[in-house]
Amino acid sequence: MVGAAAGAPDLVTFDVGGTSTDVSLITGGKPGFTSSREVAGYPVKLPMIDIHVIGAGGGSIAYVDDAGALKVGPRSAGALPGPVAYGKGGEEPTLTDANICLNRLNPIALLDGRMPVDREAAWASIENRIARP
């Protein structure tokens, strides 16, 4: 309804949480539906809005595995301690830290300036735990 009221009846929804990113399409002001989905490996046969989980969320922790491959998730930094850049005790780099370092998120502050971030701490964590290994 909001999209149609704004003159945009066709939308891509995008919700980044702490551990996942969910996307869905709205066409002509109506969401797509499906009646077949797997949840935790089990088939679910109920009508539901067609939402796809496409990846890790902002709190997902990045690491190098024993074989030297870069991995992201499923572990999450959560709200506390959160990403390294939040300055609340997080030590493991997250997708949010990477997005701050890449300037995809404001490298100075989030929440309209109310939440300062420490880009240098995020950068150091990525360098020490991802780039060098």
Side-chain angles (χ1 to χ4, degrees), residues 7-106:
D10 300 325
L11 302 169
V12 175
T13 67
F14 185 81
D15 176 24
V16 177
T19 57
S20 68
T21 300
D22 305 324
V23 297
S24 186
L25 296 176
I26 297 177
T27 306
K30 297 182 182 185
F33 284 86
T34 186
S35 59
S36 180
R37 167 97 50 222
E38 276 196 15
V39 176
Y42 296 97
V44 176
K45 301 283 187 183
L46 294 170
M48 62 189 88
I49 294 176
D50 194 15
I51 299 172
H52 295 269
V53 179
I54 62 165
S60 295
I61 294 172
Y63 62 99
V64 176
D65 72 9
D66 293 338
L70 176 63
K71 302 284 186 171
V72 180
R75 292 186 316 117
S76 175
L80 285 174
V84 174
Y86 288 4
K88 295 181 179 178
E91 296 179 356
E92 298 178 278
T94 66
L95 285 184
T96 293
D97 292 312
N99 283 317
I100 286 170
C101 289
L102 293 169
N103 294 327
R104 291 180 180 154
L105 290 174
N106 188 322

